[in-house]
């Protein structure tokens, strides 16, 4: 039914008041009231306001800045997408109930669908223009692609989690359980409001996955995959209708997600193979963090980013329909992360064998394994992904490497200080008559051993400050008591009157020297 402008003007000065005689109001007047509210909601709202709101409330906001540093302003969208007040919803619902009783609801349903569809399509188009996201994905470089994907994800989250949700809520509140199947198509007419925007929305990832230029970059595709994993179940909920457009959208969204997961499975498999097969044997200077370890830390950081919940209200999404139909094994972040770390530990052990000094190999292991362990400790999500066993294994390997370093670097000098230093080359105890020469020899021996360690390890490094301080503390706990015992026994056994005259390094000097170790930088 076409409502003329003249009829609308006749009604524009009046309002329907629902009372006990509501059933007596002419249908034409009810439809004009319906149209008036539909075209003039009380609360106009911009797309940026939805983006600003995490709980889909409609509190005003001036603007929001997206991940690409573009700002969406309220003025860009004012009047293009409007929501209804609670009063509007009640009025529209009451009109729909009355018209249903007269079998005259179809015209209002059609009017509503067309109007809301125009509003949704307008906002979708303006968002695409603002974030420069075309329907088909074209890009000249990876940075441009990354920006386009980020823009698409923002639009997708806004449309699926907010616009589609609101439109479905409005439709069900106004028309739910009303009319004949022809009027409302079992509420399937809601699909007609958003199906155009939804179809265009998924053309972007569809064209990207069909492109031969799809980059094999987990830093670009993993957040994309994670976002789709969160959004597609919502799409399936909204479009769970036994009508062809809804089925087509569900099928397309599910297929895109499965194709992207297959692609990510291949990419992550390549990462695992790279970690296992990177067999360079050139020792890394100073036993610092190897480039392979740095690469894996960045990879783990990316996994942490996509694994971290977006808000405290997030819940696990439902299982994606059709996921069992994948040609290749489905992506498993948990198993992938575990394999990558296990493969890295194996490779680091292999590389540590090529250091000239055994103690430097242990320092290398301690540094690199600790960097991974600390990365895992910094995130509750990562800790849950790899599990308790692997977390303990990382910590144990750091402790073992530190203990091995202490033994190989400082074990001999500490043994000398604790006992062997009080024996002569002929392996018998000293007596007071030989004290002066013996004491000088013992100090010269210790000084040489200590200085050799400092000189040999001058360029060695421990980049993590907390780890470095703990290692230096362990060295002093091992060295200083042994040195004090050494001084006390020399004084007692050899009866030297002026022992300080033979000392090159006081206890304070030893502490100062030790505390300057491992501060080399790349």
């Amino acid at each position: 039914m076409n409502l003329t402008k003249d009829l609308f003007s006749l009604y524009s000065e009046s309002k329907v008041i629902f009372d006990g005689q509501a059933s007596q109001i002419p249908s034409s007047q009810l439809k004009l009231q319906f149209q008036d509210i539909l075209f003039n909601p009380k609360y106009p709202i911009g797309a940026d306001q939805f983006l600003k709101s995490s709980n889909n409330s409609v509190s005003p906001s001036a603007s929001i800045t997206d991940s690409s540093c573009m700002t969406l302003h309220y003025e860009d969208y004012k009047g293009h997408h409007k929501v209804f007040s609670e009063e509007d919803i009640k009025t529209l619902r009451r009109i729909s109930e009355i018209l249903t009783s007269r079998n005259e609801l179809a015209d209002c349903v059609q009017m509503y669908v067309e109007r809301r569809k125009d509003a949704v399509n307008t906002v979708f188009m303006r968002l695409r223009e603002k974030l420069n996201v075309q329907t088909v994905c074209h890009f000249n470089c990876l940075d441009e692609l990354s920006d386009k994907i980020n823009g698409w994800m923002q639009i997708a989250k806004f449309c699926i989690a907010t616009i589609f949700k609101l439109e479905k809520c409005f439709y069900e509140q106004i028309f739910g359980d009303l009319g004949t199947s022809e009027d409302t198509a079992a509420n399937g007419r809601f699909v007609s409001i958003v199906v155009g925007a939804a179809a265009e929305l998924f053309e972007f990832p569809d064209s990207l996955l069909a492109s031969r230029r799809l980059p094999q970059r987990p830093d670009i595709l993993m957040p994309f995959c994670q976002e789709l994993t969160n959004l597609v179940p919502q799409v399936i909920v909204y479009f769970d209708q036994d009508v062809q457009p809804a089925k087509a959208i569900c099928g397309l969204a599910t297929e895109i997600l499965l194709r992207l997961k297959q692609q990510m499975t291949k990419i992550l498999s390549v990462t695992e193979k790279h970690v296992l097969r990177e067999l360079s044997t050139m020792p890394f200077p100073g036993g610092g963090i190897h480039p392979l370890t740095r690469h894996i830390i960045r990879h783990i950081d990316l996994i942490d980013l996509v694994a971290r919940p977006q808000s405290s209200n997030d819940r696990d999404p439902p299982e994606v329909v059709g996921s069992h139909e994948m040609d290749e094994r489905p992506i498993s972040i948990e198993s992938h992360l575990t394999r990558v770390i296990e493969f890295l530990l194996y490779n680091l052990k292999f590389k540590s064998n090529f250091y000239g000094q055994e103690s430097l190999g242990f320092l290398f292991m301690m540094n690199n394994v600790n960097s991974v362990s600390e990365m895992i400790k910094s995130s509750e999500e990562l800790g849950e992904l790899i599990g308790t066993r692997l977390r303990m294994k990382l910590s144990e390997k750091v402790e073992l490497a530190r203990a091995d370093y202490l033994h190989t670097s400082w074990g001999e000098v500490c043994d000398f200080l604790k006992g062997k230093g009080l024996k002569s080359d002929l392996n018998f105890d000293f007596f007071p008559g030989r004290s002066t020469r013996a004491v000088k020899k013992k100090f010269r021996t210790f000084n040489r051993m200590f200085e050799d360690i400092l000189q040999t390890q001058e360029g060695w490094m421990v980049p993590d400050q907390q780890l470095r301080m703990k290692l230096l503390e362990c060295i002093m706990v091992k060295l200083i008591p042994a040195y004090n015992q050494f001084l006390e026994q020399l004084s007692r056994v050899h009866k030297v009157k002026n022992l300080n005259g033979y000392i090159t390094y006081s206890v304070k000097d030893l502490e100062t020297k030790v505390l300057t170790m491992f501060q080399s930088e790349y």
Side-chain angles (χ1 to χ4, degrees), residues 80-312:
H80 289 291
H81 195 86
K82 302 178 180 181
V83 298
F84 301 107
S85 68
E86 184 177 355
E87 180 184 349
D88 287 340
I89 293 290
K90 290 179 179 179
T91 303
L92 292 174
R93 174 69 180 188
R94 183 65 179 128
I95 293 174
S96 299
E97 289 173 344
I98 296 173
L99 292 176
T100 297
S101 67
R102 302 174 185 176
N103 292 323
E104 296 183 29
L105 182 61
D107 290 335
C108 286
V109 172
Q110 182 63 32
M111 184 198 320
Y112 181 92
V113 168
E114 293 301 322
R115 176 60 177 169
R116 300 308 297 176
K117 180 168 63 175
D118 288 344
V120 169
N121 290 342
T122 299
V123 173
F124 178 68
M125 178 185 67
R126 289 180 172 271
L127 280 171
R128 283 174 43 203
E129 292 174 353
K130 189 70 177 180
L131 296 178
N132 192 29
V133 177
Q134 297 84 12
T135 303
V136 178
C137 180
H138 296 294
F139 61 95
N140 296 317
C141 62
L142 291 180
D143 287 342
E144 182 183 2
L145 173 62
S146 181
D147 289 342
K148 287 181 180 292
I149 289 178
N150 288 334
W152 182 89
M153 288 192 296
Q154 186 184 9
I155 294 172
K157 284 188 289 186
F158 168 52
C159 288
I160 295 172
T162 302
I163 290 293
F164 293 177
K165 182 177 182 178
L166 283 172
E167 291 300 335
K168 186 176 178 66
C169 179
F170 292 153
Y171 190 91
E172 290 178 347
Q173 287 181 341
I174 296 169
F175 299 116
D177 301 321
L178 295 180
T180 64
S181 59
E182 290 77 15
D183 290 335
T184 59
N187 282 337
R189 293 295 296 276
F190 152 74
V191 174
S192 300
I193 297 174
V194 297
V195 69
E200 286 193 47
L201 180 68
F202 284 103
E203 283 185 27
F204 177 90
D206 187 41
S207 66
L208 175 61
L209 290 171
S211 172
R212 295 182 178 180
R213 300 176 60 201
L214 184 67
Q216 305 298 297
R217 290 275 298 273
D219 58 325
I220 293 178
L221 295 185
M222 191 180 292
F224 192 26
C225 182
Q226 184 68 17
E227 197 62 61
L228 273 174
T229 300
N230 294 333
L231 292 175
V232 167
Q234 298 179 50
V235 172
I236 293 172
V237 170
Y238 298 149
F239 290 87
D240 186 19
Q241 310 281 347
D242 192 21
V243 290
Q244 187 53 43
K247 290 181 179 179
I249 294 297
C250 287
L252 177 61
T254 301
E255 179 190 358
I256 288 171
L257 177 58
L258 297 182
R259 285 160 58 195
L260 185 56
K261 284 192 171 186
Q262 289 173 347
Q263 191 65 36
M264 281 305 306
T265 297
K266 294 177 182 178
I267 293 174
L268 296 183
S269 177
V270 170
T271 301
E272 294 172 11
K273 292 176 181 177
H274 171 69
V275 177
L276 193 58
R277 297 174 181 177
E278 200 283 311
L279 301 178
S280 61
T281 58
M282 179 68 68
F284 194 74
I289 309 301
H290 195 276
L292 178 62
T293 306
R294 292 185 178 276
H295 172 70
I296 295 306
I297 288 176
R298 289 193 296 269
H299 186 71
I300 294 173
D301 187 44
L302 177 63
I303 291 175
D304 181 34
L305 177 65
V306 300
R308 193 179 297 273
Q310 298 301 311
S311 74
S312 59

